[in-house]
Amino acid sequence: MTAQSAVRTFVWTLTADPVYMGTSTSTILRWDPVAPCVLVPDDTPHTVPSWPDSPDTSLEGYKVAGKSVGEVRAEIERRGLKAAYLITEPRQDRPDSARLPRYVMYPTKQNTPVGDDWFVWQADEPQQGTVRLMVTRELAKE
């Protein structure tokens, strides 16, 4: 070690999972100075996997795949539930034979107004009484 004093910087990071709504943290001890953090919107495409319809939701087996948002929202309201949306797009880099998920979600597009003519391709219930609809303007090609 030289006569100079070593600079140590403690770095703490927080990462949010916008699809599954979880968070994680990490810590790093750096021996060099670091620049102040500048927050930037995450526009990374997050894949949204498909899963079989679950009978354990408040929709009790109601099939949503391929139906319009207006049709599904009417059913949700009829059951006294709330609707939330995860706005998705068909994946552009998915070869026909690939087993990659068919849809991606961009965090910066989650405030896009959802129309009744949009499509629902999947639903889950992240909290009791709120059904989250995975919606898209156009369905992915099979």
Side-chain angles (χ1 to χ4, degrees), residues 41-56:
D42 176 11
D43 204 27
T44 307
H46 297 268
T47 58
V48 184
S50 297
W51 56 79
D53 289 336
S54 172
D56 299 334

Side-chain angles (χ1 to χ4, degrees), residues 48-121:
V48 184
S50 297
W51 56 79
D53 289 336
S54 172
D56 299 334
T57 69
S58 295
L59 288 177
E60 300 170 353
Y62 177 76
K63 305 287 186 199
V64 300
K67 293 181 179 170
S68 73
V69 167
E71 182 180 358
V72 175
R73 191 171 55 227
E75 179 65 21
I76 289 171
E77 289 171 359
R78 186 185 71 73
R79 294 176 185 233
L81 305 169
K82 294 179 185 175
Y85 303 103
L86 185 71
I87 299 168
T88 65
E89 296 178 2
R91 197 182 173 121
Q92 299 301 316
D93 63 346
R94 185 177 182 268
D96 292 337
S97 62
R99 292 186 160 208
L100 296 171
R102 294 176 13 201
Y103 294 94
V104 294
M105 183 278 296
Y106 293 89
T108 57
K109 296 182 180 181
Q110 294 308 298
N111 291 328
T112 304
V114 175
D116 283 346
D117 59 340
W118 284 39
F119 295 98
V120 178
W121 59 272

